[in-house]
């Protein structure tokens, strides 16, 4: 057990690509936790996808031994945080395990939306925030400007901000010294009953669920019988230890310490991130604050392109869930796309990551329906139901109103793009609020906007309108009533479920026009004219026609070559077997897939 | 032509003889043809004659068809030799139809007279178009005037049955050009006219050009041309009896009628196809391989499909539906009408039922019907 005064628990918070993982690597190197030879670049980001995208999905944690300039030995626990807003609950739990946070800002890019969002999260969690400016070695670095922006958010003096380069190693000693000096030591009560926070967990095929824990009060001993206060489950501490970053088994984790816990539980969803662990025999009366169930915000239907892959998709989802308790799904059947799953995600990035992992790691070819959000429908009798799929929206006459989730969004942008961004936000029903200049060149724009507008195409438009310079962050706000309608796409009068969408009335016609136009180009000609319509209830808002096929005949069967002709037609027939029938219209599945995948212009 | 007359050809015996030689290969052609190998004519004809003399004896032939390639490209006496071999082997019925395909540039009165005296009584000209730019686009070597002089030469030589083949929908062809071609064809009063849509076959120079971005024939334009042809030809006294064939009454091609009535026909020569004794068979496609096989007393057959039981019923519908008279009632027709895809075709007015016979109402969608027919499964009560 380490004396609490010698412990420093901190996180690094940063916008994507601002150098968080590189800094973590340097710190490990510097403190001897990892030798340079063993070092893979950015050790903390271990998933391939994380490395590729430069973001952290699962937090990791490492214990560093550091001899400070005051001659004392310190234990520094570096608690990594997921780097994206979709995982803000997970971020908040990681921060709750710390006393301080190092706010890392890129000297070239300056403060970004996530920097601010994370800084506020840390301040709200009562952490001491220590700013540092990274990448000062780059030719385009402008640390003075970054310092001004930081001061505008956090206050303080620009002179106190550490300037460093994780790449070259410049300023790393100063970072460690600052952490020891400015991060407060834990102040738990060693005599109180055990209270430990589960701030992350993951599934290991050999060990079962591994929990990352921070002991707040008391101590956690190997073999102790433990009560998980939220789930009310009792498990034994089969193994506990430190992460250096390899597992080092110990007999006890003392007050203020950070480590891992293995209980033998195999199912990830039986361990809740944010839960409080206490002793089963002498339990604490009160759990640590802040526990919540992560709630999916964005929903999308995932269907295997090849219907035979349905079971494979189910297996893959189950495997992903081993490590991602926030992933939720239920089976969904679509006339157009066959059997699949309606999946719930924490946010857009989460959705993208899951889809990519399914396709890459499980070799699946998937079709995803347009992402949607959860709507709250007030029925005529006043009851409220939540719907996650456009198909579940009750008829207009059966409902009194529909409310949709709004988010508080924050965009940080170079000031020259303020005009286009305001235009974009208002065109997407955003309500513009405060505007703060962090520096003469950089502005923070706050607004409230329906989540549905953001999941649709907002990110892409924002990027294209600001040449990629603006950054966006958002957090759930509230539900608001809106004039929402369901747009159905009808093929020869039959609705095609996969294309139904809930939209604001103002955007309905655009959607209808684009989908009907797109499908006209994708649906093969039939024996008769096929109208493709977009409709709101019984009202048609746009229409296209696939003209009837007029010629499908082999002109000549030369010299009575009947066999060859038959074989040719047999082959064409095989193609037809993959057709889906929508009413009397034959549509190749590829057409539906293409219509959903072609989202560049929607 | 009544349905009964048309169906009677199912009892015919016919023969096809392939003459693969051409002076040049047209860019759209994917038949078994050769150009510049006239040195092989002698050996090839000998091989065909050997194939004829060694084939199973049969009853007298009612229709003989020399196709190609270009039968008119070789010396008429050579064709006469083949006819003699056929006649010696199987005999000809008294009113046998003896056709050959001919190119306008190969045809004059002298040649016509010789062919007629050898026993040919029907000639089918590869006219294709009367529009010189279309003829060039199709890689044809003749001019429109040669079509007219060929037809006259055939008439003077005593051919009472003359046919013209036309091709529509060639990129660059206009509606006017097609109408003009039809008009000039009708002016020559042939007894029979075939109109074929230009078809892009992969592996041909045209197929490669289209693959590399050349303009492909437009199916809607071709549908327009076809409908125009049907209208104009009907007005001129021609009756359509098959998807692509029109004739004066009683001048239908009897070899064709035999094929579509599921009648039997022998086939001789490379790449030829026949149907005899319940077997659809084909010969080796390459001319040299075919000749070598026959010369070394091996069979020139490269494949056999046994057509029996339910397959034969499907086959009857498959070939018979190309005819305007359609097919007589039978288990295949009943199954068709009970199938989902068959019902869709009835609903869309692509097929209909005339006095119990299944007929195609929209001939341009014949392949659609054919795919449905090939998909039919034998009803449980059908004897296997």
């Amino acid at each position: 057990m380490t004396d609490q005064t010698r412990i420093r628990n901190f996180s690094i918070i940063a916008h994507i690509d601002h150098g968080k993982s590189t800094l973590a690597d340097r710190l490990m190197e510097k403190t001897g936790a990892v030798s340079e030879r063993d070092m893979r670049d950015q050790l903390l980001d271990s998933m391939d996808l994380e490395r590729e995208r430069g973001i952290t999905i699962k937090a990791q944690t490492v214990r560093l031994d550091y001899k400070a300039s005051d001659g004392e030995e310190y234990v520094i626990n570096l608690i990594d945080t997921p780097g994206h807003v979709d995982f803000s609950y997970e971020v908040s739990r990681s921060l709750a395990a710390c006393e301080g946070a190092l706010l890392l800002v890129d000297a070239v890019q300056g403060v970004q939306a996530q920097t601010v969002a994370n800084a506020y999260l840390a301040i709200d969690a009562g952490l001491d925030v220590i700013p540092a400016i990274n990448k000062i070695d780059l030719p385009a670095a402008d640390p003075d400007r970054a310092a001004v922006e930081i001061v505008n958010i956090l206050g303080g003096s620009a002179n106190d901000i550490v300037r460093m380069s994780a790449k070259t190693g410049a300023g790393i000693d100063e970072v460690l010294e600052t952490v020891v000096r400015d991060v407060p030591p834990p102040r738990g009560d060693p005599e109180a009953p055990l209270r430990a926070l589960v701030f992350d967990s993951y599934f290991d095929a050999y060990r079962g669920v591994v929990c990352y824990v921070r002991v707040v009060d008391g101590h956690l001993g190997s073999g102790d019988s433990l009560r998980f206060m939220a789930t009310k489950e009792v498990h034994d501490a089969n193994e506990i230890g430190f992460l250096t970053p390899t597992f080092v088994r110990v007999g006890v984790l003392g007050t203020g310490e950070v480590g891992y816990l293995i209980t033998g539980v195999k199912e990830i969803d039986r361990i809740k991130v944010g839960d409080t662990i206490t002793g089963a025999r002498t339990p604490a009366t009160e759990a640590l604050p802040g526990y919540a169930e992560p709630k999916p915000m964005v929903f999308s239907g995932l269907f295997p392109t090849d219907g035979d892959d349905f079971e494979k998709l189910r297996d893959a989802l189950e495997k992903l869930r081993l490590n991602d308790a926030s992933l939720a799904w239920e089976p969904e059947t679509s006339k157009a796309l066959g059997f699949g799953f309606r999946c719930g995600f924490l946010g857009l990035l989460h959705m993208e990551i899951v889809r990519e992992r399914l396709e890459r790691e499980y070799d699946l070819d998937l079709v995803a329906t347009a992402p949607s959000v959860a709507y709250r429908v007030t029925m005529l009798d006043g009851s409220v139901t939540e719907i996650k799929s456009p198909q579940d929206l009750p008829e207009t006459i059966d409902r009194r109103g529909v409310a949709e989730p709004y988010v508080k969004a924050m965009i940080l942008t170079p000031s020259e793009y303020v005009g286009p961004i305001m235009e974009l936000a208002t065109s997407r029903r955003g309500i513009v609020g405060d505007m703060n200049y962090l520096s003469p060149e950089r502005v923070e724009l706050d607004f409230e906007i329906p989540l549905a507008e953001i999941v649709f195409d907002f990110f892409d438009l924002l990027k294209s309108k600001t040449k990629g310079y603006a950054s966006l962050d958002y957090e759930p706000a509230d539900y608001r009533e809106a004039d929402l309608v369901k747009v159905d796409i009808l093929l020869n009068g039959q609705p095609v479920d996969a294309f139904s969408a809930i939209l604001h009335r103002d955007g309905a016609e655009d959607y209808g026009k684009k989908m009907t136009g797109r499908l006209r180009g994708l649906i093969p000609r039939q024996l008769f004219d096929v109208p493709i319509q977009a409709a709101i209830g019984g009202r048609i808002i746009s229409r296209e026609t696939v003209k009837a096929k007029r010629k499908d005949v082999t002109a000549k069967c030369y010299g009575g070559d009947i066999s060859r002709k038959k074989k040719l037609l047999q082959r064409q027939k095989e193609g037809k077997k993959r057709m889906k029938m929508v009413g009397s219209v034959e549509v190749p599945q590829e057409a539906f897939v293409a219509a959903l995948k072609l989202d560049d212009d929607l | 032509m009544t349905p009964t007359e048309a169906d009677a050809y199912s009892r015919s015996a016919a023969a096809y003889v392939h003459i693969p030689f051409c002076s040049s290969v047209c860019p759209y052609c994917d038949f078994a043809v050769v150009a510049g190998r006239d040195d092989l004519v002698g050996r090839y004809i000998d091989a065909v004659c050997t194939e004829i003399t060694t084939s199973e004896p049969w009853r007298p032939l009612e229709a003989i068809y020399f196709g190609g390639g270009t039968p008119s490209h070789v010396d008429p006496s050579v064709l006469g030799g083949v006819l003699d071999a056929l006649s010696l082997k199987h005999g000809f019925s008294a009113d046998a139809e003896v056709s050959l395909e001919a190119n306008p540039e190969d045809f004059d009165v002298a040649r016509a007279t010789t062919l007629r005296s050898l026993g040919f009584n029907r000639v089918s000209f590869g006219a294709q178009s009367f529009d010189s730019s279309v003829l060039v686009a199709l890689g044809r070597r003749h001019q429109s005037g040669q079509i007219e002089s060929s037809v006259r030469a055939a008439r003077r030589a005593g051919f009472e049955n003359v046919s013209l083949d036309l091709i529509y929908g060639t990129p660059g062809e206009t509606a006017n050009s097609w109408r003009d071609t039809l008009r000039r064809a009708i002016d020559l009063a042939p007894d029979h006219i075939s109109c074929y849509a230009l078809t892009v076959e992969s592996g041909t120079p045209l197929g490669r050009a289209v693959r590399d971005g050349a303009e492909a024939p437009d199916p809607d334009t071709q549908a327009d041309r076809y409908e125009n042809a049907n209208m104009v030809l009907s007005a001129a006294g021609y009756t359509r009896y098959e998807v692509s064939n029109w004739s004066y009454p009683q001048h239908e091609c009897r070899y064709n009628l035999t094929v579509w009535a599921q009648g039997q026909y022998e086939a001789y020569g490379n790449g030829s196809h026949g149907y005899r004794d319940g077997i659809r068979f084909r010969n080796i496609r390459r001319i040299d391989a075919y000749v070598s096989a026959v010369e070394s007393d091996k069979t020139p057959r490269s494949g056999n499909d046994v057509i029996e039981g339910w397959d034969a019923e499907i086959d009857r519908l498959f070939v018979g539906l190309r005819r305007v008279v359609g097919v007589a009632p039978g288990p295949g027709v009943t199954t068709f009408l009970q199938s989902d895809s068959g019902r869709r075709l009835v609903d869309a007015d692509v097929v209909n039922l005339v006095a119990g016979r299944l007929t195609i109402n929209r001939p341009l969608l014949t392949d659609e019907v054919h795919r449905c027919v090939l998909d039919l499964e034998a009803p449980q009560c059908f004897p296997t």
Side-chain angles (χ1 to χ4, degrees):
Chain A
M1 277 201 284
T2 312
D3 187 334
Q4 285 195 73
T5 58
R6 296 283 179 270
I7 298 175
R8 299 292 182 270
N9 296 321
F10 84 110
S11 286
I12 308 171
I13 52 182
H15 189 77
I16 288 174
D17 274 345
H18 280 197
K20 185 172 73 169
S21 303
T22 317
L23 174 58
D25 293 351
R26 284 303 152 267
L27 294 176
M28 282 189 274
E29 237 173 65
K30 198 82 194 172
T31 56
V34 182
S35 75
E36 214 161 325
R37 206 152 37 101
D38 295 343
M39 188 90 175
R40 279 185 306 158
D41 266 347
Q42 301 190 356
L43 191 78
L44 284 184
D45 287 354
S46 55
M47 266 164 50
D48 282 351
L49 205 61
E50 295 187 343
R51 289 167 162 275
E52 232 165 78
R53 288 175 169 247
I55 55 166
T56 309
I57 297 160
K58 297 299 287 181
Q60 308 218 14
T61 202
V62 63
R63 177 181 165 110
L64 311 169
D65 293 316
Y66 179 64
K67 186 167 185 182
S69 56
D70 61 7
E72 299 284 347
E73 297 274 355
Y74 290 90
V75 167
I76 299 179
N77 289 303
L78 167 54
I79 292 163
D80 200 9
T81 56
H84 193 272
V85 53
D86 284 357
F87 310 104
S88 58
Y89 174 71
E90 283 79 356
V91 174
S92 78
R93 294 307 84 205
S94 290
L95 294 178
C98 303
E99 279 74 35
L102 188 73
L103 178 70
L104 199 61
V105 176
D106 182 310
V108 180
Q109 293 187 17
V111 167
Q112 297 289 316
Q114 269 172 42
T115 323
V116 183
N118 284 328
Y120 289 160
L121 268 175
I123 292 167
D124 289 349
L127 268 52
D128 283 24
V129 177
I130 303 162
I133 296 169
N134 189 20
K135 303 195 190 178
I136 55 168
D137 58 303
L138 292 182
D142 188 353
D144 293 337
R145 192 197 57 157
V148 170
E149 291 174 358
I150 290 169
V151 169
N152 278 333
I153 303 167
L154 299 177
S157 160
N159 295 326
D160 297 341
I161 300 170
V162 178
R163 299 185 181 200
M164 45 138 328
S165 166
K167 198 168 127 209
T168 65
I172 296 301
D173 289 323
E174 209 188 328
V175 169
L176 285 164
E177 287 297 322
T178 312
V179 166
V180 168
R181 188 186 70 223
D182 293 350
V183 174
R187 291 197 184 86
D189 180 353
E191 307 306 324
L194 168 69
R195 286 203 298 172
L197 172 73
V198 179
F199 64 87
D200 196 14
S201 67
Y202 75 95
F203 177 77
D204 180 293
Y206 302 105
R207 297 181 164 97
V209 179
V210 178
C211 306
Y212 286 2
V213 296
R214 153 74 195 266
V215 179
V216 177
D217 294 321
H219 57 268
L220 170 56
S222 183
D224 287 359
S225 181
L226 304 174
R227 174 182 297 276
F228 287 69
M229 296 178 81
T231 60
K232 300 186 168 62
E233 294 198 22
V234 173
H235 304 288
D236 289 342
N238 289 352
E239 183 183 331
I240 56 174
F242 301 139
L243 294 138
T244 67
T246 46
F247 285 19
V248 175
R249 224 171 151 151
V250 296
V252 64
L253 286 176
T255 313
E257 283 192 308
V258 171
Y260 69 89
L261 160 70
I262 295 167
T263 60
V265 168
K266 302 278 183 220
E267 301 80 17
I268 191 92
D269 49 358
R270 285 175 61 193
I271 302 287
K272 305 284 187 189
V273 169
D275 203 349
T276 302
I277 300 170
T278 188
R281 288 186 194 86
T282 50
T285 48
E286 212 170 309
L288 297 163
Y291 173 77
E293 289 266 350
K295 205 168 176 298
M297 301 272 289
V298 177
F299 302 87
S300 166
L302 292 184
F303 296 85
T305 308
D306 179 350
D308 294 343
D309 282 346
F310 175 74
E311 287 302 331
K312 200 172 152 196
L313 174 56
R314 185 205 299 274
D315 287 350
L317 281 168
E318 271 162 12
K319 286 199 181 107
L320 280 190
R321 200 180 146 78
L322 288 178
N323 251 323
D324 183 354
S326 58
L327 181 61
W329 70 85
E330 53 197 43
E332 183 171 61
T333 310
S334 157
K335 255 187 267 169
L337 302 172
F339 294 104
F341 297 96
R342 187 98 195 144
C343 300
F345 307 97
L346 296 174
L348 275 183
L349 183 81
H350 187 210
M351 175 174 78
E352 248 177 76
I353 288 166
V354 169
R355 267 168 57 180
E356 260 190 70
R357 291 189 65 187
L358 288 171
E359 295 202 321
R360 201 182 297 189
E361 293 168 30
Y362 297 92
D363 195 28
L364 285 158
D365 196 10
L366 298 177
V367 200
T369 59
S372 70
V373 301
Y375 294 93
R376 287 186 187 156
V377 185
T378 309
M379 306 301 288
L380 287 182
D381 63 6
S383 66
V384 176
T385 52
E386 194 164 273
I387 60 151
K388 299 178 177 89
S389 171
Q391 293 154 62
D392 300 333
L393 186 72
E395 295 296 323
T396 323
I397 51 159
D398 296 329
R399 62 182 200 238
R400 192 179 292 162
V402 185
E404 62 177 332
Y406 267 65
V407 293
K408 276 190 200 153
M410 172 176 54
I411 293 178
L412 255 62
T413 175
S415 46
E416 68 221 75
Y417 301 119
V418 167
I421 291 174
M422 301 264 255
E423 208 177 323
L424 172 64
T426 44
S427 78
R428 300 290 149 157
R429 301 188 286 135
I431 303 157
V432 179
D434 291 343
M435 192 162 107
N436 301 316
Y437 276 84
L438 299 182
S439 68
E441 300 85 36
R442 189 178 283 284
V443 184
E444 175 192 329
L445 284 169
D446 294 334
F447 52 95
E448 295 168 325
I449 189 167
L451 176 62
E453 297 285 352
I454 288 193
V455 301
F456 219 47
D457 59 352
F458 195 86
F459 271 131
D460 294 338
L461 288 170
L462 181 68
K463 265 186 234 151
S464 72
K465 279 185 192 289
T466 64
K467 302 199 172 76
Y469 281 113
S471 55
L472 170 99
D473 203 356
Y474 63 87
E475 59 179 85
D478 51 5
Y479 270 77
R480 296 181 198 176
E481 290 271 333
D483 188 5
L484 298 170
V485 292
K486 183 170 75 151
V487 179
D488 289 315
I489 304 295
L490 311 174
L491 216 54
N492 203 29
Q494 295 275 328
V496 186
D497 46 22
F499 296 115
S500 293
I502 295 175
L503 297 156
H504 191 267
R505 193 177 293 279
D506 294 346
E509 203 163 316
D510 258 8
Y511 175 82
K513 275 204 183 110
K514 274 173 187 154
M515 284 316 290
T516 52
R518 190 180 280 183
L519 282 168
R520 190 199 50 186
L522 292 167
I523 289 174
R525 295 166 72 173
Q526 313 277 315
L527 299 175
F528 42 85
D529 283 1
V530 176
I532 304 170
Q533 299 157 307
I536 299 173
R539 192 169 62 86
I540 304 300
I541 54 173
S542 80
R543 180 192 163 112
E544 297 272 0
T545 304
V546 177
K547 299 296 277 177
K549 169 158 69 178
R550 293 180 59 201
K551 176 178 173 287
D552 183 1
V553 60
T554 311
K556 194 171 183 175
C557 282
Y558 178 71
D561 185 355
I562 310 299
S563 297
R564 182 174 154 208
K565 174 71 184 153
K566 278 185 190 163
K567 277 179 193 124
L568 183 75
L569 291 164
Q570 291 280 11
R571 276 203 299 278
Q572 294 174 357
K573 212 155 50 73
E574 289 311 308
K576 281 210 151 196
K577 291 218 169 102
R578 291 196 300 273
M579 297 271 192
K580 305 255 179 185
M581 295 298 296
V582 176
S584 52
V585 183
E586 285 179 325
V587 187
Q589 167 137 339
E590 296 86 67
F592 291 126
V593 174
L596 286 167
K597 279 195 173 165
L598 281 172
D599 42 17
D600 316 328
D601 60 336
L602 200 74
Chain B
M1 149 150 304
T2 66
T4 314
E5 284 169 335
D7 287 348
Y9 282 91
S10 66
R11 295 183 296 274
S12 281
Y16 175 83
V17 178
H18 191 64
I19 306 295
F21 303 100
C22 289
S23 47
S24 66
V25 178
C26 301
Y28 54 87
C29 176
D30 81 330
F31 302 149
V33 300
V34 285
R37 291 306 310 271
D38 292 359
D39 57 303
L40 277 176
V41 172
R43 279 175 67 200
Y44 178 76
I45 296 296
D46 285 348
V48 170
C49 290
T50 305
E51 197 193 353
I52 291 168
T53 45
T54 55
S55 62
E56 284 292 304
W58 212 13
R59 57 182 184 270
L61 304 172
E62 285 143 276
I64 299 98
Y65 194 96
F66 280 59
T70 315
S72 62
H73 179 75
V74 300
D75 193 85
S77 63
V78 162
L79 303 179
V82 178
L83 272 184
D84 288 346
L86 274 173
S87 163
L88 210 64
K89 183 73 190 183
H90 305 300
F92 293 172
S93 72
D95 59 346
E97 172 192 274
V98 187
S99 296
L100 89 156
E101 289 179 341
N103 274 355
E105 69 265 30
D106 300 328
F107 221 72
D108 56 26
V109 179
R111 185 170 280 238
T113 308
T114 311
L115 288 165
R116 183 71 192 83
S117 67
L118 290 169
F120 290 99
N121 55 27
R122 182 177 183 277
V123 60
S124 174
F125 290 108
Q128 320 311 7
S129 176
F130 285 81
D131 181 328
S132 55
S133 67
V134 171
L135 287 170
V136 169
L138 291 173
R140 302 298 297 198
R141 295 155 63 97
H142 64 270
Q143 278 133 26
S144 59
Q146 289 176 302
I147 304 169
E148 281 146 359
S149 58
S150 297
V151 172
R152 279 189 212 104
R155 293 295 189 202
R156 282 190 38 204
F159 279 94
E160 286 175 9
N161 206 340
V162 173
S163 177
L164 295 184
D165 279 2
L166 301 175
I167 289 180
Y168 60 86
T170 307
E173 172 205 79
T174 62
N176 274 337
S177 139
W178 175 238
R179 270 197 291 272
D180 190 57
T181 286
L182 285 170
R183 185 183 57 75
R184 289 177 69 180
I186 290 165
D187 282 352
L188 293 172
D191 307 276
H192 183 281
I193 296 180
S194 303
C195 298
Y196 298 116
L198 178 65
T199 306
V200 180
E201 303 282 359
S202 60
T204 62
L206 177 66
R208 284 189 286 274
V210 167
R211 188 196 61 204
D212 296 340
E215 188 186 349
D218 173 57
D220 285 347
T221 305
Q222 291 191 326
D224 288 342
R225 302 282 189 271
Y226 179 87
E227 283 163 12
N228 183 240
N230 195 37
M231 196 174 71
V232 171
L233 292 173
S234 304
Y238 294 90
T239 307
R240 187 173 71 83
Y241 68 96
E242 191 264 358
V243 175
S244 307
N245 289 291
W246 288 258
S247 76
Y248 283 154
Q250 305 304 316
H251 284 75
E252 296 88 359
C253 173
R254 287 156 63 183
Y255 165 73
N256 263 343
L257 286 172
T258 304
V259 173
W260 305 134
Q262 207 186 20
Q264 301 187 67
Y265 50 105
E266 267 290 7
Y268 302 110
N270 69 309
S272 61
H273 297 75
Y275 178 49
R276 204 180 146 183
D277 302 327
I279 294 171
R280 292 207 178 274
F281 61 88
R282 53 195 164 275
N283 275 354
I284 294 167
R285 188 174 159 101
R286 281 184 60 110
I287 183 170
D288 46 359
Y290 166 81
V291 171
S292 307
V294 177
E295 283 176 351
S296 53
D297 293 329
K298 292 190 192 116
T299 176
R301 295 277 168 91
S302 64
N304 290 310
D305 291 319
V306 178
I307 309 291
E308 59 185 9
W310 181 247
D311 288 345
E313 174 65 356
I314 292 299
D315 187 84
R316 180 180 75 89
L317 266 61
F318 189 84
V319 292
L321 282 168
R322 283 190 73 96
R323 302 176 304 176
V324 171
V325 297
V327 292
V333 172
T334 308
T335 309
F336 179 93
L337 294 170
Q338 285 166 353
S339 72
D340 285 346
S341 48
R343 269 197 291 257
R344 289 180 58 234
L345 290 162
V346 173
D347 290 345
D349 216 20
V350 176
V351 294
N352 52 18
L353 215 54
V354 179
R357 295 181 71 90
L358 183 65
T359 61
I360 294 187
N361 205 30
R362 290 163 67 183
L364 286 177
L365 297 179
T366 297
D367 280 8
E368 193 71 51
V369 181
H370 273 162
R371 280 190 290 269
C372 169
V373 167
L374 290 177
D375 221 14
L376 298 176
E377 281 176 18
Q380 300 222 309
C381 55
F382 195 83
T384 49

